[in-house]
Amino acid sequence: MPRLAAASLAGTAIEFYDFFVYGTAAALVLGPLFFPTFSPMAGTLAAFATFGVGFVARPLGSVLFGHIGDRRGRRPVLVASLLLTGASTVAVGCVPTYGTIGLAAPLLLMLLRFLQGLGLGGEWGGAVLLTAEHAPAERRALWASFPQIGPAAGFLLANGVMLALSATLSDAQFAQWGWRVPFWMAGGLALAGLWLRSSLTESPRFLEIDDHARVPLAEVVRDHWRLVLLTAGALAAGYAIFYAVTTWSLAYATERLGASRSVMLTCIMAAVLVKGAVTPLAALLGDRYGRRPLCLAGCTAAALWMFPMVALLATGAPLPMFLGFLGAMLAFITMFAVIAAYLPELYEPRVRCTGAAVGYNLGGVLGGALTPIAATALAEQGGRVPWGVAAYLTALALLSLGCFALLPETRPVPVVAERPATG
């Protein structure tokens, strides 16, 4: 289990590095480089729109790779999705800007972002199921939480590279070529990930299935459509909170509050680092007390914290901003630490790869794709403190709370030995 968990963590870290480095670049430089005819605000919105394309592609990737995972096994999904995401990320770093090739530049950017999302849509289901289906039932949430640490590791790596480049290059150098370096690095990371995954064995639970679904998506839509919608709605708040902190706040603080790029990246990275560190601890609580109670607690905490978080962000001071981000990340991971065990347990094994991945990635569309765009537009309409963004995030947290309340508990019940009868 430690070797399998480490390989899954490394793979998801690499794929999410690819995904997150685009979000950071969208917040910092892609607007003026690829949409120079727009106003600064419109350029940022357009850059976030290309960011959102990746989320739209993720459910399609979950359908495509989920079909492979349910028909051919979880292991092939990990290799194919890593290759697709890595190649498209490297290609983003090679796209000429609008000043060189005109309208073709943003169109190529959108196509490559779509391919990134397609690959990531398959990655989560394969990595999580391979780990969860190998894990012992009483520690399934703990072991399945290691792929969930991957997004934090990928985010820290992506932003660490961006922070180093921001600190060592002038603004002109960063805009000219520096922002491309993190995308080029994805090629080496993808090769490392393929090497790590080359020795993984297929899921024993998959090998036990005698009758594989012919068209997994058709079965999911026919028999589990309500479950898919509930899981998508339940996860929407977590996605919204994460990308409000890591993407929207970065653009808002640097453009509206005059905060430095390095300060913002440091504050966000520190909060994400703590979030990654507490993930296994929250997962252990999920094994002890159940998946659903932790999800309900995380949603409740998020609903109560969004207004304070936005108020702390509006100060523009590093410590208050960090504290605001930290509270949001802790509420987020209270929900998401157990999701890697919870979602697979909700679906029967023959359609598990498709069902869990589609529900997970539809939540990304609802929460992740729309949040940077909606928050940017809402912040533009408000004053220094964007209360509209806080209201938007609180409403999503309440929506997710209602969806989690309608989902069943799935934590395996420990087997208790029968006491012998006494006479």
Side-chain angles (χ1 to χ4, degrees), residues 38-99:
F38 291 13
S39 68
M41 179 55 62
T44 300
L45 284 169
F48 280 151
T50 64
F51 174 75
V53 166
F55 283 98
V56 175
R58 282 174 63 168
L60 299 178
S62 65
V63 170
L64 171 63
F65 289 103
H67 183 89
I68 297 171
D70 284 323
R71 295 281 299 166
R72 303 298 178 190
R74 318 319 190 192
R75 189 173 176 273
V77 170
L78 300 183
V79 176
S81 62
L82 187 59
L83 280 172
L84 177 58
T85 308
S88 56
T89 304
V90 172
V92 169
C94 301
V95 175
T97 61
Y98 186 93

Short mmCIF file of all heavy atoms in Angstrom, two decimals, residues 38-99:
data_model
loop_
_atom_site.label_atom_id
_atom_site.label_comp_id
_atom_site.label_asym_id
_atom_site.label_seq_id
_atom_site.Cartn_x
_atom_site.Cartn_y
_atom_site.Cartn_z
N PHE A 38 -8.48 43.54 -25.70
CA PHE A 38 -9.50 43.70 -24.66
C PHE A 38 -8.98 44.68 -23.60
O PHE A 38 -7.79 44.92 -23.48
CB PHE A 38 -9.80 42.36 -23.99
CG PHE A 38 -10.52 41.36 -24.87
CD1 PHE A 38 -10.62 41.54 -26.23
CD2 PHE A 38 -11.08 40.22 -24.31
CE1 PHE A 38 -11.27 40.61 -27.03
CE2 PHE A 38 -11.73 39.29 -25.09
CZ PHE A 38 -11.83 39.49 -26.46
N SER A 39 -9.92 45.22 -22.82
CA SER A 39 -9.53 46.00 -21.65
C SER A 39 -8.87 45.05 -20.64
O SER A 39 -9.05 43.82 -20.75
CB SER A 39 -10.75 46.65 -21.01
OG SER A 39 -11.60 45.66 -20.45
N PRO A 40 -8.12 45.56 -19.65
CA PRO A 40 -7.49 44.66 -18.68
C PRO A 40 -8.49 43.72 -18.00
O PRO A 40 -8.22 42.52 -17.85
CB PRO A 40 -6.86 45.62 -17.68
CG PRO A 40 -6.54 46.84 -18.49
CD PRO A 40 -7.67 46.96 -19.47
N MET A 41 -9.66 44.23 -17.60
CA MET A 41 -10.65 43.38 -16.94
C MET A 41 -11.22 42.35 -17.91
O MET A 41 -11.35 41.16 -17.58
CB MET A 41 -11.79 44.25 -16.38
CG MET A 41 -12.89 43.44 -15.68
SD MET A 41 -12.26 42.38 -14.36
CE MET A 41 -11.59 43.61 -13.26
N ALA A 42 -11.53 42.78 -19.13
CA ALA A 42 -12.07 41.84 -20.12
C ALA A 42 -11.03 40.80 -20.50
O ALA A 42 -11.36 39.63 -20.75
CB ALA A 42 -12.53 42.61 -21.37
N GLY A 43 -9.77 41.20 -20.55
CA GLY A 43 -8.71 40.25 -20.85
C GLY A 43 -8.58 39.19 -19.78
O GLY A 43 -8.38 38.00 -20.08
N THR A 44 -8.70 39.59 -18.53
CA THR A 44 -8.66 38.63 -17.43
C THR A 44 -9.85 37.67 -17.50
O THR A 44 -9.70 36.45 -17.31
CB THR A 44 -8.67 39.36 -16.07
OG1 THR A 44 -7.52 40.20 -15.99
CG2 THR A 44 -8.64 38.36 -14.91
N LEU A 45 -11.03 38.21 -17.79
CA LEU A 45 -12.21 37.35 -17.94
C LEU A 45 -12.03 36.36 -19.08
O LEU A 45 -12.40 35.18 -18.97
CB LEU A 45 -13.46 38.21 -18.16
CG LEU A 45 -14.03 38.92 -16.93
CD1 LEU A 45 -15.09 39.94 -17.35
CD2 LEU A 45 -14.63 37.91 -15.96
N ALA A 46 -11.47 36.83 -20.20
CA ALA A 46 -11.24 35.95 -21.34
C ALA A 46 -10.23 34.86 -21.00
O ALA A 46 -10.40 33.69 -21.38
CB ALA A 46 -10.76 36.75 -22.55
N ALA A 47 -9.17 35.21 -20.27
CA ALA A 47 -8.19 34.22 -19.86
C ALA A 47 -8.81 33.19 -18.93
O ALA A 47 -8.54 31.99 -19.03
CB ALA A 47 -7.00 34.90 -19.18
N PHE A 48 -9.67 33.64 -18.00
CA PHE A 48 -10.36 32.71 -17.11
C PHE A 48 -11.36 31.84 -17.89
O PHE A 48 -11.65 30.72 -17.49
CB PHE A 48 -11.07 33.46 -15.99
CG PHE A 48 -10.16 33.88 -14.88
CD1 PHE A 48 -10.44 35.02 -14.12
CD2 PHE A 48 -9.04 33.14 -14.55
CE1 PHE A 48 -9.61 35.41 -13.08
CE2 PHE A 48 -8.20 33.52 -13.51
CZ PHE A 48 -8.49 34.65 -12.77
N ALA A 49 -11.89 32.37 -19.00
CA ALA A 49 -12.79 31.56 -19.82
C ALA A 49 -12.04 30.39 -20.45
O ALA A 49 -12.54 29.26 -20.49
CB ALA A 49 -13.43 32.42 -20.90
N THR A 50 -10.81 30.64 -20.94
CA THR A 50 -10.01 29.53 -21.46
C THR A 50 -9.64 28.56 -20.33
O THR A 50 -9.56 27.35 -20.54
CB THR A 50 -8.73 30.03 -22.15
OG1 THR A 50 -7.87 30.68 -21.21
CG2 THR A 50 -9.04 30.98 -23.28
N PHE A 51 -9.43 29.08 -19.13
CA PHE A 51 -9.20 28.24 -17.95
C PHE A 51 -10.40 27.33 -17.72
O PHE A 51 -10.27 26.14 -17.44
CB PHE A 51 -8.96 29.15 -16.74
CG PHE A 51 -8.84 28.44 -15.42
CD1 PHE A 51 -7.69 27.74 -15.09
CD2 PHE A 51 -9.88 28.48 -14.50
CE1 PHE A 51 -7.58 27.09 -13.86
CE2 PHE A 51 -9.77 27.85 -13.28
CZ PHE A 51 -8.62 27.15 -12.96
N GLY A 52 -11.61 27.88 -17.86
CA GLY A 52 -12.82 27.11 -17.64
C GLY A 52 -13.05 26.02 -18.67
O GLY A 52 -13.72 25.03 -18.39
N VAL A 53 -12.49 26.17 -19.88
CA VAL A 53 -12.63 25.15 -20.92
C VAL A 53 -12.10 23.81 -20.42
O VAL A 53 -12.65 22.75 -20.72
CB VAL A 53 -11.90 25.59 -22.20
CG1 VAL A 53 -11.74 24.43 -23.18
CG2 VAL A 53 -12.67 26.73 -22.88
N GLY A 54 -11.02 23.84 -19.63
CA GLY A 54 -10.47 22.61 -19.09
C GLY A 54 -11.46 21.87 -18.21
O GLY A 54 -11.52 20.64 -18.20
N PHE A 55 -12.27 22.61 -17.45
CA PHE A 55 -13.27 21.98 -16.60
C PHE A 55 -14.42 21.40 -17.42
O PHE A 55 -14.96 20.35 -17.07
CB PHE A 55 -13.81 23.00 -15.60
CG PHE A 55 -12.87 23.27 -14.46
CD1 PHE A 55 -12.05 24.38 -14.48
CD2 PHE A 55 -12.81 22.41 -13.38
CE1 PHE A 55 -11.18 24.63 -13.44
CE2 PHE A 55 -11.94 22.65 -12.34
CZ PHE A 55 -11.12 23.77 -12.36
N VAL A 56 -14.78 22.07 -18.49
CA VAL A 56 -15.83 21.54 -19.36
C VAL A 56 -15.39 20.22 -19.98
O VAL A 56 -16.18 19.29 -20.16
CB VAL A 56 -16.18 22.57 -20.46
CG1 VAL A 56 -17.18 21.98 -21.45
CG2 VAL A 56 -16.75 23.84 -19.83
N ALA A 57 -14.08 20.11 -20.29
CA ALA A 57 -13.56 18.88 -20.90
C ALA A 57 -13.44 17.74 -19.91
O ALA A 57 -13.44 16.57 -20.30
CB ALA A 57 -12.19 19.17 -21.52
N ARG A 58 -13.33 18.06 -18.62
CA ARG A 58 -13.07 17.00 -17.64
C ARG A 58 -14.18 15.94 -17.57
O ARG A 58 -13.87 14.74 -17.52
CB ARG A 58 -12.80 17.62 -16.26
CG ARG A 58 -11.39 18.16 -16.15
CD ARG A 58 -11.13 18.92 -14.87
NE ARG A 58 -11.26 18.06 -13.70
CZ ARG A 58 -10.85 18.44 -12.48
NH1 ARG A 58 -10.30 19.63 -12.29
NH2 ARG A 58 -10.99 17.62 -11.45
N PRO A 59 -15.48 16.30 -17.58
CA PRO A 59 -16.49 15.23 -17.61
C PRO A 59 -16.40 14.37 -18.87
O PRO A 59 -16.65 13.16 -18.81
CB PRO A 59 -17.82 16.00 -17.56
CG PRO A 59 -17.48 17.31 -16.94
CD PRO A 59 -16.11 17.63 -17.42
N LEU A 60 -16.05 14.98 -20.01
CA LEU A 60 -15.88 14.19 -21.23
C LEU A 60 -14.71 13.22 -21.08
O LEU A 60 -14.77 12.07 -21.53
CB LEU A 60 -15.64 15.13 -22.42
CG LEU A 60 -16.77 16.12 -22.72
CD1 LEU A 60 -16.38 17.03 -23.88
CD2 LEU A 60 -18.06 15.37 -23.05
N GLY A 61 -13.63 13.69 -20.43
CA GLY A 61 -12.51 12.80 -20.17
C GLY A 61 -12.89 11.68 -19.23
O GLY A 61 -12.43 10.54 -19.38
N SER A 62 -13.74 11.98 -18.25
CA SER A 62 -14.16 10.94 -17.32
C SER A 62 -15.02 9.89 -18.02
O SER A 62 -14.96 8.71 -17.67
CB SER A 62 -14.92 11.56 -16.14
OG SER A 62 -16.14 12.15 -16.56
N VAL A 63 -15.80 10.31 -19.02
CA VAL A 63 -16.59 9.35 -19.80
C VAL A 63 -15.67 8.47 -20.65
O VAL A 63 -15.78 7.24 -20.67
CB VAL A 63 -17.61 10.08 -20.69
CG1 VAL A 63 -18.27 9.12 -21.67
CG2 VAL A 63 -18.67 10.76 -19.83
N LEU A 64 -14.73 9.13 -21.36
CA LEU A 64 -13.82 8.39 -22.24
C LEU A 64 -12.94 7.43 -21.46
O LEU A 64 -12.89 6.22 -21.74
CB LEU A 64 -12.95 9.39 -23.02
CG LEU A 64 -11.80 8.81 -23.83
CD1 LEU A 64 -12.32 7.90 -24.93
CD2 LEU A 64 -10.93 9.92 -24.42
N PHE A 65 -12.24 7.95 -20.46
CA PHE A 65 -11.33 7.10 -19.70
C PHE A 65 -12.07 6.21 -18.71
O PHE A 65 -11.56 5.14 -18.34
CB PHE A 65 -10.29 7.97 -18.98
CG PHE A 65 -9.29 8.59 -19.90
CD1 PHE A 65 -9.38 9.94 -20.25
CD2 PHE A 65 -8.27 7.84 -20.45
CE1 PHE A 65 -8.47 10.53 -21.11
CE2 PHE A 65 -7.34 8.42 -21.31
CZ PHE A 65 -7.44 9.75 -21.64
N GLY A 66 -13.26 6.64 -18.26
CA GLY A 66 -14.05 5.78 -17.40
C GLY A 66 -14.49 4.53 -18.14
O GLY A 66 -14.54 3.43 -17.56
N HIS A 67 -14.81 4.67 -19.42
CA HIS A 67 -15.16 3.51 -20.24
C HIS A 67 -13.99 2.53 -20.30
O HIS A 67 -14.17 1.32 -20.13
CB HIS A 67 -15.53 3.98 -21.66
CG HIS A 67 -15.99 2.87 -22.57
ND1 HIS A 67 -17.31 2.48 -22.67
CD2 HIS A 67 -15.28 2.05 -23.39
CE1 HIS A 67 -17.40 1.48 -23.52
NE2 HIS A 67 -16.19 1.20 -23.98
N ILE A 68 -12.80 3.07 -20.51
CA ILE A 68 -11.61 2.22 -20.54
C ILE A 68 -11.39 1.57 -19.18
O ILE A 68 -11.10 0.37 -19.07
CB ILE A 68 -10.37 3.04 -20.94
CG1 ILE A 68 -10.54 3.60 -22.36
CG2 ILE A 68 -9.10 2.20 -20.85
CD1 ILE A 68 -9.47 4.60 -22.76
N GLY A 69 -11.55 2.36 -18.11
CA GLY A 69 -11.33 1.84 -16.77
C GLY A 69 -12.29 0.75 -16.38
O GLY A 69 -11.92 -0.22 -15.69
N ASP A 70 -13.56 0.86 -16.78
CA ASP A 70 -14.56 -0.14 -16.45
C ASP A 70 -14.49 -1.36 -17.37
O ASP A 70 -14.89 -2.46 -16.98
CB ASP A 70 -15.97 0.46 -16.50
CG ASP A 70 -16.27 1.34 -15.29
OD1 ASP A 70 -15.82 0.99 -14.19
OD2 ASP A 70 -16.92 2.38 -15.46
N ARG A 71 -13.98 -1.16 -18.58
CA ARG A 71 -13.90 -2.27 -19.53
C ARG A 71 -12.55 -2.97 -19.54
O ARG A 71 -12.48 -4.19 -19.63
CB ARG A 71 -14.20 -1.76 -20.96
CG ARG A 71 -15.61 -1.24 -21.17
CD ARG A 71 -16.59 -2.37 -21.37
NE ARG A 71 -16.27 -3.15 -22.53
CZ ARG A 71 -16.79 -4.37 -22.80
NH1 ARG A 71 -17.65 -4.89 -21.94
NH2 ARG A 71 -16.46 -5.03 -23.87
N ARG A 72 -11.46 -2.17 -19.45
CA ARG A 72 -10.11 -2.73 -19.62
C ARG A 72 -9.26 -2.70 -18.35
O ARG A 72 -8.21 -3.33 -18.31
CB ARG A 72 -9.37 -1.95 -20.72
CG ARG A 72 -10.09 -1.93 -22.06
CD ARG A 72 -10.23 -3.33 -22.63
NE ARG A 72 -10.96 -3.31 -23.89
CZ ARG A 72 -11.40 -4.41 -24.51
NH1 ARG A 72 -11.16 -5.61 -23.96
NH2 ARG A 72 -12.06 -4.33 -25.64
N GLY A 73 -9.68 -1.93 -17.37
CA GLY A 73 -8.90 -1.88 -16.13
C GLY A 73 -8.52 -0.46 -15.75
O GLY A 73 -8.52 0.44 -16.58
N ARG A 74 -8.18 -0.28 -14.47
CA ARG A 74 -7.83 1.06 -13.97
C ARG A 74 -6.42 1.47 -14.42
O ARG A 74 -6.16 2.65 -14.67
CB ARG A 74 -7.88 1.09 -12.45
CG ARG A 74 -9.01 0.37 -11.73
CD ARG A 74 -10.39 0.48 -12.28
NE ARG A 74 -11.38 -0.06 -11.35
CZ ARG A 74 -12.63 -0.31 -11.68
NH1 ARG A 74 -13.04 -0.10 -12.93
NH2 ARG A 74 -13.50 -0.76 -10.79
N ARG A 75 -5.50 0.50 -14.53
CA ARG A 75 -4.10 0.81 -14.81
C ARG A 75 -3.89 1.48 -16.18
O ARG A 75 -3.13 2.46 -16.27
CB ARG A 75 -3.26 -0.47 -14.70
CG ARG A 75 -1.76 -0.23 -14.75
CD ARG A 75 -1.01 -1.53 -14.46
NE ARG A 75 0.42 -1.33 -14.60
CZ ARG A 75 1.06 -1.46 -15.74
NH1 ARG A 75 0.41 -1.79 -16.84
NH2 ARG A 75 2.37 -1.27 -15.80
N PRO A 76 -4.50 1.00 -17.28
CA PRO A 76 -4.30 1.67 -18.56
C PRO A 76 -4.72 3.13 -18.56
O PRO A 76 -4.15 3.96 -19.29
CB PRO A 76 -5.16 0.85 -19.54
CG PRO A 76 -5.31 -0.48 -18.90
CD PRO A 76 -5.33 -0.21 -17.43
N VAL A 77 -5.72 3.47 -17.74
CA VAL A 77 -6.20 4.86 -17.66
C VAL A 77 -5.08 5.78 -17.16
O VAL A 77 -4.91 6.90 -17.66
CB VAL A 77 -7.42 4.94 -16.72
CG1 VAL A 77 -7.78 6.39 -16.42
CG2 VAL A 77 -8.60 4.20 -17.33
N LEU A 78 -4.31 5.30 -16.18
CA LEU A 78 -3.27 6.14 -15.60
C LEU A 78 -2.19 6.51 -16.60
O LEU A 78 -1.67 7.62 -16.61
CB LEU A 78 -2.63 5.42 -14.41
CG LEU A 78 -3.56 5.05 -13.25
CD1 LEU A 78 -2.78 4.42 -12.12
CD2 LEU A 78 -4.29 6.28 -12.75
N VAL A 79 -1.84 5.58 -17.47
CA VAL A 79 -0.79 5.83 -18.47
C VAL A 79 -1.30 6.77 -19.56
O VAL A 79 -0.66 7.77 -19.90
CB VAL A 79 -0.31 4.50 -19.08
CG1 VAL A 79 0.71 4.76 -20.19
CG2 VAL A 79 0.31 3.62 -17.99
N ALA A 80 -2.47 6.46 -20.11
CA ALA A 80 -2.99 7.27 -21.23
C ALA A 80 -3.31 8.70 -20.81
O ALA A 80 -2.99 9.66 -21.53
CB ALA A 80 -4.25 6.60 -21.80
N SER A 81 -3.90 8.87 -19.64
CA SER A 81 -4.27 10.22 -19.20
C SER A 81 -3.03 11.06 -18.91
O SER A 81 -2.99 12.26 -19.21
CB SER A 81 -5.16 10.15 -17.96
OG SER A 81 -4.49 9.54 -16.88
N LEU A 82 -1.99 10.45 -18.35
CA LEU A 82 -0.75 11.18 -18.05
C LEU A 82 -0.06 11.63 -19.33
O LEU A 82 0.44 12.76 -19.42
CB LEU A 82 0.18 10.29 -17.22
CG LEU A 82 1.45 10.94 -16.67
CD1 LEU A 82 1.10 12.13 -15.77
CD2 LEU A 82 2.27 9.93 -15.89
N LEU A 83 -0.04 10.78 -20.34
CA LEU A 83 0.57 11.15 -21.62
C LEU A 83 -0.17 12.31 -22.27
O LEU A 83 0.45 13.26 -22.77
CB LEU A 83 0.57 9.94 -22.56
CG LEU A 83 1.67 8.90 -22.35
CD1 LEU A 83 1.41 7.68 -23.24
CD2 LEU A 83 3.03 9.49 -22.66
N LEU A 84 -1.50 12.25 -22.28
CA LEU A 84 -2.29 13.30 -22.93
C LEU A 84 -2.12 14.64 -22.22
O LEU A 84 -1.89 15.68 -22.86
CB LEU A 84 -3.77 12.90 -22.94
CG LEU A 84 -4.75 13.91 -23.53
CD1 LEU A 84 -4.40 14.24 -24.97
CD2 LEU A 84 -6.19 13.40 -23.43
N THR A 85 -2.22 14.64 -20.91
CA THR A 85 -2.10 15.89 -20.15
C THR A 85 -0.70 16.48 -20.28
O THR A 85 -0.54 17.69 -20.48
CB THR A 85 -2.44 15.67 -18.66
OG1 THR A 85 -3.69 15.00 -18.57
CG2 THR A 85 -2.51 16.99 -17.92
N GLY A 86 0.32 15.65 -20.18
CA GLY A 86 1.70 16.14 -20.27
C GLY A 86 2.01 16.74 -21.62
O GLY A 86 2.61 17.82 -21.72
N ALA A 87 1.60 16.05 -22.70
CA ALA A 87 1.90 16.55 -24.05
C ALA A 87 1.18 17.87 -24.33
O ALA A 87 1.77 18.81 -24.90
CB ALA A 87 1.50 15.50 -25.09
N SER A 88 -0.07 17.98 -23.92
CA SER A 88 -0.81 19.23 -24.20
C SER A 88 -0.27 20.38 -23.36
O SER A 88 -0.27 21.53 -23.81
CB SER A 88 -2.31 19.02 -23.92
OG SER A 88 -2.54 18.56 -22.60
N THR A 89 0.23 20.10 -22.16
CA THR A 89 0.80 21.17 -21.33
C THR A 89 2.08 21.71 -21.93
O THR A 89 2.30 22.93 -21.98
CB THR A 89 1.06 20.66 -19.90
OG1 THR A 89 -0.16 20.14 -19.37
CG2 THR A 89 1.56 21.77 -19.00
N VAL A 90 2.96 20.82 -22.39
CA VAL A 90 4.19 21.27 -23.05
C VAL A 90 3.84 22.12 -24.27
O VAL A 90 4.47 23.16 -24.53
CB VAL A 90 5.05 20.06 -23.47
CG1 VAL A 90 6.23 20.51 -24.33
CG2 VAL A 90 5.56 19.33 -22.24
N ALA A 91 2.81 21.72 -25.00
CA ALA A 91 2.43 22.46 -26.20
C ALA A 91 1.93 23.86 -25.88
O ALA A 91 2.15 24.80 -26.66
CB ALA A 91 1.35 21.68 -26.97
N VAL A 92 1.26 24.05 -24.72
CA VAL A 92 0.82 25.39 -24.31
C VAL A 92 2.01 26.34 -24.24
O VAL A 92 1.94 27.50 -24.66
CB VAL A 92 0.07 25.35 -22.96
CG1 VAL A 92 -0.15 26.77 -22.43
CG2 VAL A 92 -1.27 24.64 -23.11
N GLY A 93 3.13 25.83 -23.71
CA GLY A 93 4.33 26.66 -23.60
C GLY A 93 4.95 27.03 -24.92
O GLY A 93 5.85 27.89 -24.96
N CYS A 94 4.50 26.42 -26.01
CA CYS A 94 5.06 26.69 -27.34
C CYS A 94 4.14 27.54 -28.21
O CYS A 94 4.52 27.89 -29.34
CB CYS A 94 5.35 25.37 -28.05
SG CYS A 94 6.51 24.28 -27.19
N VAL A 95 2.94 27.85 -27.74
CA VAL A 95 1.98 28.60 -28.57
C VAL A 95 2.44 30.06 -28.71
O VAL A 95 2.68 30.74 -27.72
CB VAL A 95 0.58 28.57 -27.94
CG1 VAL A 95 -0.39 29.44 -28.74
CG2 VAL A 95 0.05 27.14 -27.88
N PRO A 96 2.57 30.56 -29.94
CA PRO A 96 2.90 31.99 -30.13
C PRO A 96 1.78 32.87 -29.61
O PRO A 96 0.62 32.44 -29.51
CB PRO A 96 3.05 32.12 -31.66
CG PRO A 96 3.23 30.73 -32.16
CD PRO A 96 2.49 29.84 -31.22
N THR A 97 2.09 34.09 -29.26
CA THR A 97 1.09 35.01 -28.71
C THR A 97 0.26 35.65 -29.82
O THR A 97 0.54 35.46 -31.02
CB THR A 97 1.76 36.11 -27.89
OG1 THR A 97 2.65 36.85 -28.74
CG2 THR A 97 2.56 35.52 -26.74
N TYR A 98 -0.75 36.43 -29.40
CA TYR A 98 -1.63 37.10 -30.35
C TYR A 98 -0.84 38.03 -31.28
O TYR A 98 -1.15 38.14 -32.47
CB TYR A 98 -2.68 37.90 -29.59
CG TYR A 98 -3.74 38.54 -30.46
CD1 TYR A 98 -4.94 37.89 -30.71
CD2 TYR A 98 -3.54 39.81 -31.03
CE1 TYR A 98 -5.92 38.47 -31.49
CE2 TYR A 98 -4.51 40.39 -31.82
CZ TYR A 98 -5.70 39.72 -32.06
OH TYR A 98 -6.66 40.30 -32.84
N GLY A 99 0.19 38.67 -30.76
CA GLY A 99 0.98 39.58 -31.58
C GLY A 99 1.71 38.90 -32.70
O GLY A 99 2.11 39.56 -33.67
#
